[in-house]
PDB file of all heavy atoms in Angstrom:
ATOM      1  N   ILE A1561      -8.488  -3.082  31.434  1.00 85.00           N
ATOM      2  CA  ILE A1561      -8.974  -4.109  32.353  1.00 85.00           C
ATOM      3  C   ILE A1561     -10.185  -3.564  33.095  1.00 85.00           C
ATOM      4  O   ILE A1561     -11.237  -4.289  33.163  1.00 85.00           O
ATOM      5  CB  ILE A1561      -7.808  -4.317  33.398  1.00 85.00           C
ATOM      6  CG1 ILE A1561      -6.699  -5.149  32.842  1.00 85.00           C
ATOM      7  CG2 ILE A1561      -8.428  -5.149  34.617  1.00 85.00           C
ATOM      8  CD1 ILE A1561      -5.424  -5.328  33.717  1.00 85.00           C
ATOM      9  N   ASN A1562     -10.123  -2.392  33.492  1.00 84.00           N
ATOM     10  CA  ASN A1562     -11.340  -1.800  34.248  1.00 84.00           C
ATOM     11  C   ASN A1562     -12.482  -1.654  33.272  1.00 84.00           C
ATOM     12  O   ASN A1562     -13.542  -2.040  33.767  1.00 84.00           O
ATOM     13  CB  ASN A1562     -10.904  -0.288  34.716  1.00 84.00           C
ATOM     14  CG  ASN A1562     -10.156  -0.400  36.009  1.00 84.00           C
ATOM     15  OD1 ASN A1562     -10.738  -0.849  37.023  1.00 84.00           O
ATOM     16  ND2 ASN A1562      -8.890  -0.209  35.945  1.00 84.00           N
ATOM     17  N   THR A1563     -12.348  -1.252  32.065  1.00 87.00           N
ATOM     18  CA  THR A1563     -13.477  -1.151  31.246  1.00 87.00           C
ATOM     19  C   THR A1563     -14.091  -2.522  31.002  1.00 87.00           C
ATOM     20  O   THR A1563     -15.358  -2.663  31.087  1.00 87.00           O
ATOM     21  CB  THR A1563     -13.033  -0.539  29.802  1.00 87.00           C
ATOM     22  OG1 THR A1563     -12.146   0.479  30.194  1.00 87.00           O
ATOM     23  CG2 THR A1563     -14.227  -0.039  29.052  1.00 87.00           C
ATOM     24  N   VAL A1564     -13.226  -3.404  30.680  1.00 84.00           N
ATOM     25  CA  VAL A1564     -13.810  -4.820  30.404  1.00 84.00           C
ATOM     26  C   VAL A1564     -14.587  -5.290  31.529  1.00 84.00           C
ATOM     27  O   VAL A1564     -15.580  -5.904  31.552  1.00 84.00           O
ATOM     28  CB  VAL A1564     -12.635  -5.709  29.985  1.00 84.00           C
ATOM     29  CG1 VAL A1564     -13.245  -7.231  29.977  1.00 84.00           C
ATOM     30  CG2 VAL A1564     -12.120  -5.352  28.554  1.00 84.00           C
ATOM     31  N   ALA A1565     -13.882  -5.091  32.776  1.00 79.00           N
ATOM     32  CA  ALA A1565     -14.519  -5.691  33.987  1.00 79.00           C
ATOM     33  C   ALA A1565     -15.833  -5.072  34.264  1.00 79.00           C
ATOM     34  O   ALA A1565     -16.789  -5.688  34.606  1.00 79.00           O
ATOM     35  CB  ALA A1565     -13.590  -5.506  35.114  1.00 79.00           C
ATOM     36  N   TYR A1566     -15.995  -3.661  34.096  1.00 80.00           N
ATOM     37  CA  TYR A1566     -17.152  -3.019  34.335  1.00 80.00           C
ATOM     38  C   TYR A1566     -18.234  -3.378  33.392  1.00 80.00           C
ATOM     39  O   TYR A1566     -19.459  -3.583  33.694  1.00 80.00           O
ATOM     40  CB  TYR A1566     -16.945  -1.563  34.415  1.00 80.00           C
ATOM     41  CG  TYR A1566     -16.533  -1.171  35.785  1.00 80.00           C
ATOM     42  CD1 TYR A1566     -15.155  -0.674  35.799  1.00 80.00           C
ATOM     43  CD2 TYR A1566     -17.268  -1.116  36.796  1.00 80.00           C
ATOM     44  CE1 TYR A1566     -14.572  -0.257  37.142  1.00 80.00           C
ATOM     45  CE2 TYR A1566     -16.730  -0.894  38.099  1.00 80.00           C
ATOM     46  CZ  TYR A1566     -15.455  -0.430  38.222  1.00 80.00           C
ATOM     47  OH  TYR A1566     -15.053  -0.057  39.411  1.00 80.00           O
ATOM     48  N   LEU A1567     -17.838  -3.650  32.074  1.00 84.00           N
ATOM     49  CA  LEU A1567     -18.870  -3.969  31.127  1.00 84.00           C
ATOM     50  C   LEU A1567     -19.423  -5.326  31.502  1.00 84.00           C
ATOM     51  O   LEU A1567     -20.612  -5.702  31.424  1.00 84.00           O
ATOM     52  CB  LEU A1567     -18.196  -4.150  29.665  1.00 84.00           C
ATOM     53  CG  LEU A1567     -18.021  -2.850  28.999  1.00 84.00           C
ATOM     54  CD1 LEU A1567     -17.321  -3.064  27.649  1.00 84.00           C
ATOM     55  CD2 LEU A1567     -19.337  -2.124  28.854  1.00 84.00           C
ATOM     56  N   LEU A1568     -18.420  -6.342  31.902  1.00 78.00           N
ATOM     57  CA  LEU A1568     -18.843  -7.602  32.396  1.00 78.00           C
ATOM     58  C   LEU A1568     -19.881  -7.611  33.636  1.00 78.00           C
ATOM     59  O   LEU A1568     -20.780  -8.266  33.616  1.00 78.00           O
ATOM     60  CB  LEU A1568     -17.586  -8.345  32.798  1.00 78.00           C
ATOM     61  CG  LEU A1568     -17.403  -9.895  32.547  1.00 78.00           C
ATOM     62  CD1 LEU A1568     -16.324 -10.021  31.547  1.00 78.00           C
ATOM     63  CD2 LEU A1568     -17.348 -10.640  33.737  1.00 78.00           C
ATOM     64  N   MET A1569     -19.382  -6.597  34.470  1.00 77.00           N
ATOM     65  CA  MET A1569     -20.258  -6.481  35.709  1.00 77.00           C
ATOM     66  C   MET A1569     -21.591  -6.132  35.338  1.00 77.00           C
ATOM     67  O   MET A1569     -22.670  -6.409  35.957  1.00 77.00           O
ATOM     68  CB  MET A1569     -19.648  -5.600  36.622  1.00 77.00           C
ATOM     69  CG  MET A1569     -19.608  -5.891  38.075  1.00 77.00           C
ATOM     70  SD  MET A1569     -18.167  -5.150  38.796  1.00 77.00           S
ATOM     71  CE  MET A1569     -18.736  -3.578  38.953  1.00 77.00           C
ATOM     72  N   PHE A1570     -21.671  -5.054  34.439  1.00 79.00           N
ATOM     73  CA  PHE A1570     -23.059  -4.462  34.008  1.00 79.00           C
ATOM     74  C   PHE A1570     -23.843  -5.549  33.414  1.00 79.00           C
ATOM     75  O   PHE A1570     -25.052  -5.723  33.763  1.00 79.00           O
ATOM     76  CB  PHE A1570     -22.728  -3.307  32.926  1.00 79.00           C
ATOM     77  CG  PHE A1570     -23.996  -2.797  32.407  1.00 79.00           C
ATOM     78  CD1 PHE A1570     -24.648  -1.968  33.182  1.00 79.00           C
ATOM     79  CD2 PHE A1570     -24.336  -3.027  31.153  1.00 79.00           C
ATOM     80  CE1 PHE A1570     -25.801  -1.378  32.723  1.00 79.00           C
ATOM     81  CE2 PHE A1570     -25.528  -2.451  30.638  1.00 79.00           C
ATOM     82  CZ  PHE A1570     -26.288  -1.620  31.449  1.00 79.00           C
ATOM     83  N   ARG A1571     -23.227  -6.448  32.564  1.00 76.00           N
ATOM     84  CA  ARG A1571     -24.069  -7.475  31.939  1.00 76.00           C
ATOM     85  C   ARG A1571     -24.568  -8.391  33.055  1.00 76.00           C
ATOM     86  O   ARG A1571     -25.618  -8.866  32.951  1.00 76.00           O
ATOM     87  CB  ARG A1571     -23.211  -8.269  30.897  1.00 76.00           C
ATOM     88  CG  ARG A1571     -23.084  -7.590  29.753  1.00 76.00           C
ATOM     89  CD  ARG A1571     -22.451  -8.291  28.569  1.00 76.00           C
ATOM     90  NE  ARG A1571     -23.139  -9.497  28.364  1.00 76.00           N
ATOM     91  CZ  ARG A1571     -22.875 -10.515  27.482  1.00 76.00           C
ATOM     92  NH1 ARG A1571     -21.824 -10.374  26.727  1.00 76.00           N
ATOM     93  NH2 ARG A1571     -23.608 -11.516  27.323  1.00 76.00           N
ATOM     94  N   LEU A1572     -23.671  -8.787  33.975  1.00 72.00           N
ATOM     95  CA  LEU A1572     -23.978  -9.684  35.038  1.00 72.00           C
ATOM     96  C   LEU A1572     -25.292  -9.111  35.956  1.00 72.00           C
ATOM     97  O   LEU A1572     -26.215  -9.866  36.155  1.00 72.00           O
ATOM     98  CB  LEU A1572     -22.876 -10.002  36.018  1.00 72.00           C
ATOM     99  CG  LEU A1572     -21.980 -11.014  35.440  1.00 72.00           C
ATOM    100  CD1 LEU A1572     -20.760 -11.138  36.430  1.00 72.00           C
ATOM    101  CD2 LEU A1572     -22.656 -12.470  35.456  1.00 72.00           C
TER     102      LEU A1572
END
Side-chain angles (χ1 to χ4, degrees):
Chain A
I1561 290 172
N1562 278 290
T1563 314
V1564 170
Y1566 279 108
L1567 284 178
L1568 218 119
M1569 222 153 77
F1570 177 72
R1571 285 191 54 183
L1572 278 173

